[in-house]
Amino acid sequence: MDKNSVIGIVLIAAILVLWGILQTPSREELARRQDMSDSLSRAGDQQLAGGMMTDSLSATASLVPAERGDTATSDLKDAYGDFAVAASGEQMFHTLENDLVRITISTKGGRPYSAELKQYSTFDGKPVVLFSGDSTQFGLRFYHKNKAIETNELYFAAVNPSPSVTVSEKRDSLVMRLALNSESYLDYIYALDPESYMVDFTMALKGMDKVIDASVTNLDLEWESYIPAQEQVRKNENQYTTIYYRHYQEEVSFFNARSNREIQQENISTGVEWVAFKNQFFSSVLIAENSFSNALLQSTAMPEGDLYLKNFRAELGLPFGHSASESLRMHLFFGPNKFSLLKKYGDFRLEDIVSVGKGIIRWINQFVIIPIFDWLSRFIGNYGIIILLLTIIIKVVLLPLTYRSYLSQAKMKVLKPQVDELNKKYPQGKEMEKQQATMALYKKAGVSPMGGCFPMLLQFPILFAMFRFFPTSIELRQQGFLWAKDLSTYDAIVSWNANIPIISNIYGNHISLFTLLMTLSTILSMKLSDTSASSQQMPGMKAMMYVMPVMFMFMLNSWSAGLTYYYFLTNVITIGQNYLFKSFVNEEALLKKMKERKAQPAKKSKFQQRLEEMARQQASYRAPKKK
């Protein structure tokens, strides 16, 4: 190993150590986080105690808006004006559900109070609830008689005759009304189809032009939600929990989920088509029929150990034309981040919520990996077997490239004795001459030093595509295989609670068996395919071959077991392919063929022949004529 390689390895190790030290929180930071976590937990307990829904409460819910005008106090009239009639009341709950989702609507604010996905559960067996409780905000803000009115604080009444609407055979709806009188009211209309995660949501304003100030041209829709942890590994889930949004008829953008900033904010003055509050496998999405006129988005990270991962907030502008009757049409999606499902919603491009990469990586996932994965899922229920078959299919397709790479390495191997002779012929100090002689040898033998690397480089996009696909694939969630209980997270065979400096921050407090097998199989595969000739040309390369797998072992120890299982399978199949190729490639015949090629005169390309012909003609033209 040369001096530069040693320095490079030392620098890499120093960076890893420094990174681990910097990531270790100070005692003051740990104390601050603990205090914040304790206070938020107490607030959450109080909220659950005071705001928990019960069946008895729903059963006694009044179905007719109460007359509150006579009882409105002067204080309420001063604060709310004509809306004082809706400023007091009793919070009751109504449900709209089908076989997939149950949405609870509160009379306070007429807003979605909770959204439960019926076919999914958390890691500890509880229902997946995307949001729940009075901490969730969803309502309009506007001005009436120069008073700021927020519908989230006002009481609606259900127009439906029943407090529970179950959608089974055809679309049904739930209407919540904020009524000032018989001529002026605001309806929130929730309509749900069978077997759908999408709710059609309409704000119908009747006679509201008389009560909303004439200066108001936009109604502000405020949406806020605390995102609860659904998965066992908070760190992994947090890396995918963020806000996504799409600019009007443009690309999809998102906040950096891995940012160290506690608060991220974006003020968008142009149109926005939709906003998604997303965690690793589920999302709540608010979609405009046309577009929101502007948006203010904010993400706040919750402290470690809290019940929630992050707090998301969106303030969205809705154009208001002051007509006697207006309808603001939107859609609410409460469901899983499944690429094929989201893609069915057409021009909304909701599938961009799923993090499958960009550029060629996204193309490979969208048009190759996901279709094959979904096709295999139709016939096979075990996802460990599906990953195995997917790996075999990919390796078979890449077989020509793999063979070409092996053949190039075999040529380098048989030329090694001749390269060793050149190393002896040119002593130290004549590296340039040695390099030129070596390249001349390769050229005469018809060997390219990069011939084995280039086919492998073409396979890297697929490896990166898998790196993006497996951690976000909801199909792997809670799917066990062999010793792995959940292929969407790491497969710990040994774990500990003690905090080991540097090790705990970089490697984690567990050992993932698939990651360990991936590392060992990578080292074995590299050792079997190593060519001594290449090692002679780049002495530090041989050491780096063994350092890199160890670095990836540290990096991937906490990643999806499905990902490291795939990499392990890829290595095992590659080793098997190399043994198969070895039985077909006769190194003695290969060397004989290269010697015959060296004995032949170098064949000039047509381009080179044309250049030489042009040079001869030019020399003949310039030559002086004999007298």
Side-chain angles (χ1 to χ4, degrees), residues 18-27 29-30 499 501-502 505:
L18 180 61
W19 181 82
I21 294 174
L22 292 176
Q23 290 297 312
T24 303
S26 63
R27 293 183 178 179
E29 177 66 15
L30 289 173
N499 183 37
I502 302 177
N505 289 331

Side-chain angles (χ1 to χ4, degrees), residues 136 284 458 491:
T136 299
S284 302
L458 294 178
D491 55 314

Side-chain angles (χ1 to χ4, degrees), residues 147-164:
K147 306 177 191 297
I149 302 298
E150 295 185 2
T151 63
N152 205 73
E153 300 175 351
L154 304 177
Y155 288 85
F156 289 60
V159 177
N160 301 64
S162 172
S164 179

Side-chain angles (χ1 to χ4, degrees), residues 253-326:
S253 301
F254 55 90
F255 288 2
N256 182 9
R258 295 175 173 84
S259 174
N260 292 325
R261 290 188 297 166
E262 184 177 350
I263 299 177
Q264 298 184 71
Q265 184 169 295
E266 186 74 22
N267 193 352
I268 307 167
S269 58
T270 55
V272 173
E273 292 190 11
W274 52 258
V275 175
F277 292 172
K278 169 188 179 292
N279 73 351
Q280 186 173 7
F281 294 116
F282 308 100
S283 290
S284 302
V285 190
L286 178 59
I287 309 163
E289 183 74 18
N290 296 311
S291 71
F292 302 108
S293 56
N294 55 71
L296 175 63
L297 308 176
Q298 180 176 292
S299 170
T300 304
M302 295 291 101
E304 188 73 24
D306 193 81
L307 295 174
Y308 302 100
L309 300 172
K310 294 177 182 177
N311 169 263
F312 292 150
R313 181 177 178 83
E315 296 182 10
L316 307 166
L318 294 169
F320 180 59
H322 281 279
S323 300
S325 179
E326 291 192 35

Side-chain angles (χ1 to χ4, degrees), residues 499-564:
N499 183 37
I500 303 175
I502 302 177
I503 296 295
S504 294
N505 289 331
I506 299 178
Y507 184 68
N509 281 5
H510 65 275
I511 297 176
S512 170
L513 182 54
F514 274 132
T515 305
L516 191 61
L517 293 174
M518 175 200 72
T519 303
L520 295 176
S521 61
T522 302
I523 294 174
L524 178 61
S525 177
M526 288 182 170
K527 184 175 180 62
L528 293 177
S529 61
D530 180 32
T531 59
S532 300
S534 62
S535 300
Q536 290 288 341
Q537 296 299 313
M538 294 176 286
M541 182 61 70
K542 189 169 185 178
M544 291 302 295
M545 283 170 47
Y546 302 108
V547 172
M548 292 302 295
V550 175
M551 291 178 59
F552 279 112
M553 179 184 70
F554 276 81
M555 292 171 56
L556 300 180
N557 188 57
S558 295
W559 282 69
S560 162
L563 175 66
T564 51

